[in-house]
């Protein structure tokens, strides 16, 4: 029988079979992920073959189909292993907010870079627009123009007034969407508003995690009544960066990458090299200074572990 893994707790896997029934399975045999050292051989979104096993007195996963893609999170410990958050994802949807809480642009840009590196289309949803001050509306417009210009889809929603929910439903319909965003931005509330039957407990999954330790958290896939699935990743605000060389980082800023074709040196890092087309575009206003700043921050390795520098950048 074939199915899709919708939840994994490490030793048990929930599998949705093609006939729609849900079963709990264990793993039989040794599975390795090519190319990375991972802590979990089977991830949410994996397409698997399941068989009844008398010895194990239950259902077991006997085969994992090749993945179209997968997103990982680097383990914080020294084992250098990665945790596969999800596999076979159609798009990555970041829920952000300009207010309550404010999502920093650096956070959004790191998310976009990771999505580019995984080659997964990204969508940015600004939620809670009902709360925004005039200043925040201006900021929303700034983001909207900037990100659309680079080619990203941007939505503005309010789970309270219902604004933008039809657009969000259109984005999610019939696709497997990995949902990310800081805690409190309204991920659960939005999904419940789109599909009341799901009844995701707002905040609970992430909050119960917060009480726990910094151990592995478990993603879960939920089917949408209108078609499609969302993968919720409690406790994981964004997915991890794939390993990338410094010289590669600019490739994941589409607008920088495009313009860099005009740089004098083909190994140009767009820092202070003569004949740099990116620096010229920055001067002309063809590249957003805040995007360029995000590029520099990622290049310098400034990230969540160096929050001071990232906050500094937000000003
Ligand atoms: P999550 O941690 O991302 O799942 O966030 P929740 O869905 O738990 O929402 C966090 C808080 O924000 C809750 O109190 C929600 O009622 C509130 N909230 C969510 N969406 C909106 C919105 O569009 N407007 C307003 N004003 N509040 C919202
Ligand atoms: Zn350059």
């Amino acid at each position: 029988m074939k199915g899709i893994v919708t939840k994994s707790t490490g030793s048990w896997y929930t599998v949705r079979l093609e006939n729609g029934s849900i079963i709990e399975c264990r793993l039989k045999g040794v599975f390795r992920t090519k190319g990375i050292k991972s802590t979990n051989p089977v991830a949410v979104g994996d397409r698997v073959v399941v068989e009844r096993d008398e010895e194990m007195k239950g259902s077991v996963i006997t085969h994992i189909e090749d993945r179209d893609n997968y997103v990982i999170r680097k383990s914080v410990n020294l084992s250098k292993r990665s945790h596969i958050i999800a596999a076979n994802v159609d798009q990555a949807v970041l829920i952000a907010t300009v207010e309550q809480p404010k999502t920093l642009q650096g956070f959004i840009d790191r998310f976009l870079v990771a999505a580019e590196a995984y080659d997964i289309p990204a969508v940015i949803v600004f939620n809670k627009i009902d709360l925004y001050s005039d200043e925040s509306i201006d900021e929303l417009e700034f983001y909207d123009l900037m990100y659309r210009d680079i080619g990203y889809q941007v939505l503005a929603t309010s789970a309270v007034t219902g604004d933008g929910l039809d657009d969000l439903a259109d984005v999610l319909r019939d696709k497997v969407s990995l949902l990310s965003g800081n805690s409190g931005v309204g991920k659960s509330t939005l999904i419940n508003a789109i599909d009341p039957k799901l009844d995701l407990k707002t905040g609970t999954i992430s909050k119960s995690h917060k009480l726990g330790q910094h151990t592995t958290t478990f993603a879960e896939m939920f089917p949408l009544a209108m078609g499609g699935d969302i993968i919720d990743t409690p406790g994981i605000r964004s997915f991890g960066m794939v390993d990338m060389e410094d010289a590669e980082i600019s490739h994941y800023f589409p607008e920088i990458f495009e313009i860099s074709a005009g740089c004098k040196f083909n190994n140009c890092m767009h820092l202070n090299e003569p004949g740099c087309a990116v620096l010229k575009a920055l001067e002309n206003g063809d590249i957003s200074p805040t995007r360029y700043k995000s590029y520099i921050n990622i290049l310098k390795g400034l990230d969540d572990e160096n929050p001071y520098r990232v906050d500094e950048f937000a000003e």
Side-chain angles (χ1 to χ4, degrees), residues 298-309:
I298 294 173
L299 191 63
K300 288 185 185 160
L302 303 178
D303 56 21
D304 286 351
E305 271 107 79
N306 298 291
Y308 176 68
R309 302 299 295 274

Side-chain angles (χ1 to χ4, degrees), residues 127-128 130-131 157-160 182-189 202-203 206-207:
N127 188 36
K128 305 200 184 186
D130 59 288
L131 294 176
T157 59
S158 165
V160 169
N182 285 315
S183 158
V185 294
K187 292 182 291 296
S188 326
T189 310
T202 45
S206 350
K207 268 152 211 158

Side-chain angles (χ1 to χ4, degrees), residues 103-210:
T103 306
L104 300 178
Q105 192 192 325
F107 182 80
I108 299 173
D109 288 335
R110 283 196 305 281
F111 169 88
L112 295 174
V113 164
E116 291 289 338
Y118 289 119
D119 206 14
I120 297 172
V123 180
I124 316 164
V125 179
F126 288 96
N127 188 36
K128 305 200 184 186
I129 55 170
D130 59 288
L131 294 176
Y132 293 2
S133 62
D134 288 349
E135 215 175 299
S136 296
I137 299 272
D138 287 348
E139 200 171 329
L140 172 66
E141 270 164 23
F142 164 80
Y143 287 136
D144 187 62
L145 279 173
M146 177 174 71
Y147 287 122
R148 271 176 206 278
D149 197 41
I150 314 166
Y152 294 109
Q153 197 169 355
V154 181
L155 302 183
T157 59
S158 165
V160 169
T161 63
D163 277 325
L165 293 187
D166 288 346
D167 296 335
L168 181 57
D170 287 342
V171 164
L172 299 178
R173 187 173 291 112
D174 295 334
K175 294 210 170 118
V176 176
S177 305
L178 181 68
L179 217 58
S180 301
N182 285 315
S183 158
V185 294
K187 292 182 291 296
S188 326
T189 310
L190 274 177
I191 296 307
N192 286 339
I194 283 182
D195 191 340
K197 286 220 180 73
L198 270 183
D199 194 23
L200 292 194
K201 293 182 191 76
T202 45
T204 42
I205 317 177
S206 350
K207 268 152 211 158
S208 66
H209 166 255
K210 254 193 260 155

